PDB file of all heavy atoms in Angstrom:
ATOM      1  N   PHE A  15     143.299  86.614 116.800  1.00 92.00           N
ATOM      2  CA  PHE A  15     142.288  87.424 117.483  1.00 92.00           C
ATOM      3  C   PHE A  15     142.731  87.595 118.928  1.00 92.00           C
ATOM      4  O   PHE A  15     143.010  86.596 119.595  1.00 92.00           O
ATOM      5  CB  PHE A  15     140.915  86.772 117.422  1.00 92.00           C
ATOM      6  CG  PHE A  15     140.327  86.780 116.049  1.00 92.00           C
ATOM      7  CD1 PHE A  15     140.323  85.633 115.275  1.00 92.00           C
ATOM      8  CD2 PHE A  15     139.794  87.945 115.526  1.00 92.00           C
ATOM      9  CE1 PHE A  15     139.785  85.639 113.993  1.00 92.00           C
ATOM     10  CE2 PHE A  15     139.263  87.959 114.238  1.00 92.00           C
ATOM     11  CZ  PHE A  15     139.249  86.806 113.474  1.00 92.00           C
ATOM     12  N   THR A  24     143.307  83.873 120.067  1.00 87.00           N
ATOM     13  CA  THR A  24     143.051  82.781 119.130  1.00 87.00           C
ATOM     14  C   THR A  24     143.886  82.994 117.878  1.00 87.00           C
ATOM     15  O   THR A  24     143.735  84.010 117.207  1.00 87.00           O
ATOM     16  CB  THR A  24     141.568  82.781 118.689  1.00 87.00           C
ATOM     17  OG1 THR A  24     140.763  82.937 119.838  1.00 87.00           O
ATOM     18  CG2 THR A  24     141.215  81.508 117.956  1.00 87.00           C
ATOM     19  N   ALA A  26     143.858  82.234 114.410  1.00 89.00           N
ATOM     20  CA  ALA A  26     142.857  81.710 113.483  1.00 89.00           C
ATOM     21  C   ALA A  26     143.478  81.288 112.163  1.00 89.00           C
ATOM     22  O   ALA A  26     143.000  80.377 111.507  1.00 89.00           O
ATOM     23  CB  ALA A  26     141.768  82.760 113.232  1.00 89.00           C
ATOM     24  N   PRO A  45     137.522  72.322 107.288  1.00 87.00           N
ATOM     25  CA  PRO A  45     136.533  72.033 108.324  1.00 87.00           C
ATOM     26  C   PRO A  45     136.060  73.318 109.003  1.00 87.00           C
ATOM     27  O   PRO A  45     136.725  74.350 108.912  1.00 87.00           O
ATOM     28  CB  PRO A  45     137.294  71.149 109.315  1.00 87.00           C
ATOM     29  CG  PRO A  45     138.734  71.481 109.105  1.00 87.00           C
ATOM     30  CD  PRO A  45     138.865  71.858 107.674  1.00 87.00           C
ATOM     31  N   SER A  46     134.951  73.225 109.703  1.00 87.00           N
ATOM     32  CA  SER A  46     134.383  74.386 110.372  1.00 87.00           C
ATOM     33  C   SER A  46     135.388  74.975 111.363  1.00 87.00           C
ATOM     34  O   SER A  46     136.072  74.242 112.067  1.00 87.00           O
ATOM     35  CB  SER A  46     133.111  73.959 111.106  1.00 87.00           C
ATOM     36  OG  SER A  46     132.508  75.091 111.657  1.00 87.00           O
ATOM     37  N   GLY A  47     135.498  76.286 111.370  1.00 87.00           N
ATOM     38  CA  GLY A  47     136.353  76.958 112.340  1.00 87.00           C
ATOM     39  C   GLY A  47     137.818  77.036 111.951  1.00 87.00           C
ATOM     40  O   GLY A  47     138.643  77.446 112.750  1.00 87.00           O
ATOM     41  N   CYS A  48     138.151  76.655 110.707  1.00 89.00           N
ATOM     42  CA  CYS A  48     139.565  76.616 110.340  1.00 89.00           C
ATOM     43  C   CYS A  48     140.057  77.970 109.839  1.00 89.00           C
ATOM     44  O   CYS A  48     141.237  78.129 109.556  1.00 89.00           O
ATOM     45  CB  CYS A  48     139.831  75.542 109.289  1.00 89.00           C
ATOM     46  SG  CYS A  48     139.207  75.962 107.663  1.00 89.00           S
ATOM     47  N   GLY A  49     139.180  78.940 109.737  1.00 91.00           N
ATOM     48  CA  GLY A  49     139.637  80.275 109.346  1.00 91.00           C
ATOM     49  C   GLY A  49     139.310  80.650 107.907  1.00 91.00           C
ATOM     50  O   GLY A  49     139.869  81.600 107.378  1.00 91.00           O
ATOM     51  N   LYS A  50     138.371  79.938 107.287  1.00 92.00           N
ATOM     52  CA  LYS A  50     138.007  80.234 105.908  1.00 92.00           C
ATOM     53  C   LYS A  50     137.387  81.620 105.790  1.00 92.00           C
ATOM     54  O   LYS A  50     137.781  82.426 104.943  1.00 92.00           O
ATOM     55  CB  LYS A  50     137.003  79.189 105.372  1.00 92.00           C
ATOM     56  CG  LYS A  50     137.488  77.746 105.477  1.00 92.00           C
ATOM     57  CD  LYS A  50     136.505  76.766 104.869  1.00 92.00           C
ATOM     58  CE  LYS A  50     135.156  76.696 105.555  1.00 92.00           C
ATOM     59  NZ  LYS A  50     135.201  76.154 106.921  1.00 92.00           N
ATOM     60  N   SER A  51     136.413  81.887 106.656  1.00 93.00           N
ATOM     61  CA  SER A  51     135.771  83.205 106.607  1.00 93.00           C
ATOM     62  C   SER A  51     136.775  84.293 106.932  1.00 93.00           C
ATOM     63  O   SER A  51     136.761  85.363 106.316  1.00 93.00           O
ATOM     64  CB  SER A  51     134.606  83.275 107.597  1.00 93.00           C
ATOM     65  OG  SER A  51     133.588  82.388 107.216  1.00 93.00           O
ATOM     66  N   THR A  52     137.645  84.012 107.890  1.00 94.00           N
ATOM     67  CA  THR A  52     138.666  84.996 108.269  1.00 94.00           C
ATOM     68  C   THR A  52     139.524  85.359 107.058  1.00 94.00           C
ATOM     69  O   THR A  52     139.757  86.540 106.781  1.00 94.00           O
ATOM     70  CB  THR A  52     139.539  84.422 109.398  1.00 94.00           C
ATOM     71  OG1 THR A  52     138.688  84.051 110.477  1.00 94.00           O
ATOM     72  CG2 THR A  52     140.558  85.422 109.874  1.00 94.00           C
ATOM     73  N   GLN A  87     128.158  84.361 104.181  1.00 90.00           N
ATOM     74  CA  GLN A  87     127.635  83.085 104.675  1.00 90.00           C
ATOM     75  C   GLN A  87     126.195  83.271 105.190  1.00 90.00           C
ATOM     76  O   GLN A  87     125.353  82.418 105.030  1.00 90.00           O
ATOM     77  CB  GLN A  87     128.548  82.637 105.827  1.00 90.00           C
ATOM     78  CG  GLN A  87     128.509  81.184 106.157  1.00 90.00           C
ATOM     79  CD  GLN A  87     129.653  80.784 107.115  1.00 90.00           C
ATOM     80  OE1 GLN A  87     130.543  81.563 107.412  1.00 90.00           O
ATOM     81  NE2 GLN A  87     129.608  79.567 107.585  1.00 90.00           N
ATOM     82  N   GLU A 164     130.730  80.330 101.552  1.00 93.00           N
ATOM     83  CA  GLU A 164     129.680  79.311 101.687  1.00 93.00           C
ATOM     84  C   GLU A 164     128.304  79.877 101.345  1.00 93.00           C
ATOM     85  O   GLU A 164     127.384  79.807 102.150  1.00 93.00           O
ATOM     86  CB  GLU A 164     129.641  78.755 103.120  1.00 93.00           C
ATOM     87  CG  GLU A 164     130.984  78.185 103.556  1.00 93.00           C
ATOM     88  CD  GLU A 164     130.881  77.358 104.819  1.00 93.00           C
ATOM     89  OE1 GLU A 164     129.892  76.607 104.941  1.00 93.00           O
ATOM     90  OE2 GLU A 164     131.790  77.450 105.662  1.00 93.00           O
ATOM     91  N   HIS A 197     132.663  73.833 102.659  1.00 88.00           N
ATOM     92  CA  HIS A 197     133.163  72.623 103.309  1.00 88.00           C
ATOM     93  C   HIS A 197     132.591  71.388 102.621  1.00 88.00           C
ATOM     94  O   HIS A 197     132.662  70.292 103.137  1.00 88.00           O
ATOM     95  CB  HIS A 197     132.885  72.625 104.820  1.00 88.00           C
ATOM     96  CG  HIS A 197     131.454  72.827 105.171  1.00 88.00           C
ATOM     97  ND1 HIS A 197     131.022  73.877 105.925  1.00 88.00           N
ATOM     98  CD2 HIS A 197     130.368  72.127 104.853  1.00 88.00           C
ATOM     99  CE1 HIS A 197     129.720  73.809 106.048  1.00 88.00           C
ATOM    100  NE2 HIS A 197     129.298  72.758 105.420  1.00 88.00           N
ATOM    101  N   ARG A 215     141.933  74.306 112.668  1.00 78.00           N
ATOM    102  CA  ARG A 215     142.443  75.515 113.295  1.00 78.00           C
ATOM    103  C   ARG A 215     143.715  75.237 114.092  1.00 78.00           C
ATOM    104  O   ARG A 215     143.743  74.254 114.823  1.00 78.00           O
ATOM    105  CB  ARG A 215     141.372  76.092 114.217  1.00 78.00           C
ATOM    106  CG  ARG A 215     141.649  77.525 114.593  1.00 78.00           C
ATOM    107  CD  ARG A 215     140.671  78.015 115.593  1.00 78.00           C
ATOM    108  NE  ARG A 215     140.936  77.395 116.875  1.00 78.00           N
ATOM    109  CZ  ARG A 215     140.069  77.399 117.879  1.00 78.00           C
ATOM    110  NH1 ARG A 215     138.886  77.909 117.732  1.00 78.00           N
ATOM    111  NH2 ARG A 215     140.386  76.857 119.014  1.00 78.00           N
TER     112      ARG A 215
HETATM  113  N1  ATP C   1     135.930  88.353 115.667  1.00 70.13           N
HETATM  114  C1  ATP C   1     136.510  87.264 116.218  1.00 70.13           C
HETATM  115  N2  ATP C   1     137.004  87.304 117.481  1.00 70.13           N
HETATM  116  C2  ATP C   1     137.593  86.227 118.026  1.00 70.13           C
HETATM  117  N3  ATP C   1     137.735  85.054 117.393  1.00 70.13           N
HETATM  118  C3  ATP C   1     137.262  84.940 116.153  1.00 70.13           C
HETATM  119  C4  ATP C   1     136.611  86.034 115.485  1.00 70.13           C
HETATM  120  N4  ATP C   1     136.240  85.623 114.257  1.00 70.13           N
HETATM  121  C5  ATP C   1     136.621  84.345 114.156  1.00 70.13           C
HETATM  122  N5  ATP C   1     137.249  83.920 115.277  1.00 70.13           N
HETATM  123  C6  ATP C   1     137.821  82.596 115.507  1.00 70.13           C
HETATM  124  O1  ATP C   1     138.654  82.280 114.418  1.00 70.13           O
HETATM  125  C7  ATP C   1     138.479  80.939 114.020  1.00 70.13           C
HETATM  126  C8  ATP C   1     138.162  80.862 112.553  1.00 70.13           C
HETATM  127  O2  ATP C   1     136.895  81.416 112.311  1.00 70.13           O
HETATM  128  P1  ATP C   1     136.239  81.479 110.876  1.00 70.13           P
HETATM  129  O3  ATP C   1     134.924  82.137 111.007  1.00 70.13           O
HETATM  130  O4  ATP C   1     137.200  82.070 109.929  1.00 70.13           O
HETATM  131  O5  ATP C   1     136.031  79.951 110.544  1.00 70.13           O
HETATM  132  P2  ATP C   1     135.368  79.247 109.275  1.00 70.13           P
HETATM  133  O6  ATP C   1     136.395  78.370 108.686  1.00 70.13           O
HETATM  134  O7  ATP C   1     134.759  80.254 108.404  1.00 70.13           O
HETATM  135  O8  ATP C   1     134.238  78.337 109.947  1.00 70.13           O
HETATM  136  P3  ATP C   1     132.791  77.928 109.387  1.00 70.13           P
HETATM  137  O9  ATP C   1     132.988  76.889 108.349  1.00 70.13           O
HETATM  138  O10 ATP C   1     132.114  77.365 110.602  1.00 70.13           O
HETATM  139  O11 ATP C   1     132.158  79.164 108.874  1.00 70.13           O
HETATM  140  C9  ATP C   1     137.391  80.358 114.901  1.00 70.13           C
HETATM  141  O12 ATP C   1     137.988  79.572 115.891  1.00 70.13           O
HETATM  142  C10 ATP C   1     136.737  81.551 115.536  1.00 70.13           C
HETATM  143  O13 ATP C   1     136.356  81.254 116.835  1.00 70.13           O
END
Side-chain angles (χ1 to χ4, degrees):
Chain A
F15 290 103
T24 314
S46 185
C48 72
K50 304 183 296 293
S51 295
T52 304
Q87 201 168 352
E164 304 193 40
H197 55 240
R215 197 186 72 195

